[in-house]
Amino acid sequence: MKKHLLLMATCLAILVSASAATPDNINKNFGKISATEKAMKSFHHQYENISGEVWKQIENGYEASFEIDGNTTKAFYSSKGNWVYTVEYFKASYLPASLIQQVQQEYDKYYIAGAEKIDAPAGSAYIVHLENKNFYKTISINENGAKLLNEFRKTK
C-alpha cells in the first residue's frame, strides 16, 4: 500500500510539473542565453587561444582580465553581453617599431614610459605615456596621427 501511495504521489508531481511547462513557457526561454554567457561566448570567439581569464561584473557590464604575450589585457562587455572595447597594457619595449619611430620623431626630447592599445569596433588607437626631466605627456596615436591628450609639469 505504501508503494502505491508513493507511486501515485510521484506521478502527481510529474503531471503538475508537465502542466507548468506549457509550449508558451518553453518557447520564451528556449535558445536564450544570459548576458554573462553571451559575453563569455563572444570572448572565446574573439580570443580563441586564451584561457584562465578572470571575469568580474562591473557597473555597466562585464570585464575579462587576461594576458596576451605577457601583457595585461582587459576586455569589456556591455550589460547585454556585447563586446565594447579591449585595453592591452604595454611596456615601451613591446610597442611596434613604427609607432616608436613616430613618437620619437614628434617628441624627441621624451622617452616612452608605457602605453595602452585600445581596440574597439570603430578602430584602434594607442595611448602613449611620455616623460622627460620636466614633464609628463599623454598622447593618442592612430592612423590619423598623434594628438596630445594632456601634459603635466613635474613638481620638485
Side-chain angles (χ1 to χ4, degrees):
M1 182 72 172
K2 285 184 184 180
K3 287 183 183 179
H4 289 304
L5 286 175
L6 184 59
L7 181 61
M8 287 175 49
T10 303
C11 289
L12 183 59
I14 291 171
L15 287 172
V16 169
S17 298
S19 66
T22 64
D24 288 338
N25 290 343
I26 293 170
N27 289 337
K28 284 181 189 174
N29 296 318
F30 185 73
K32 289 189 178 182
I33 61 172
S34 71
T36 307
E37 291 170 322
K38 184 176 179 182
M40 289 179 174
K41 185 177 179 179
S42 176
F43 174 86
H44 287 290
H45 178 73
Q46 187 171 4
Y47 302 101
E48 293 175 356
N49 298 322
I50 301 297
S51 62
E53 72 277 3
V54 176
W55 286 89
K56 71 178 184 180
Q57 190 164 4
I58 56 175
E59 185 176 338
N60 294 320
Y62 307 93
E63 172 189 304
S65 298
F66 56 102
E67 286 196 13
I68 295 179
D69 299 328
N71 297 319
T72 300
T73 306
K74 295 182 179 188
F76 296 89
Y77 296 84
S78 71
S79 59
K80 293 183 178 183
N82 298 315
W83 177 67
V84 181
Y85 64 95
T86 300
V87 179
E88 186 174 358
Y89 300 88
F90 290 95
K91 294 178 184 172
S93 59
Y94 285 93
L95 290 169
S98 60
L99 185 119
I100 293 172
Q101 183 179 14
Q102 183 179 355
V103 170
Q104 288 174 340
Q105 286 175 350
E106 294 186 41
Y107 297 93
D108 61 335
K109 295 182 175 31
Y110 290 82
Y111 70 91
I112 299 172
E116 297 91 32
K117 180 182 181 189
I118 301 172
D119 288 315
S124 298
Y126 287 89
I127 305 297
V128 180
H129 307 281
L130 305 171
E131 187 175 340
N132 70 9
K133 182 177 153 186
N134 299 314
F135 290 95
Y136 297 106
K137 289 187 179 194
T138 303
I139 61 172
S140 170
I141 298 179
N142 61 21
E143 64 277 352
N144 299 323
K147 177 182 175 184
L148 179 65
L149 298 176
N150 58 43
E151 176 179 42
F152 299 100
R153 179 176 284 283
K154 289 184 176 182
T155 57
K156 294 183 182 189

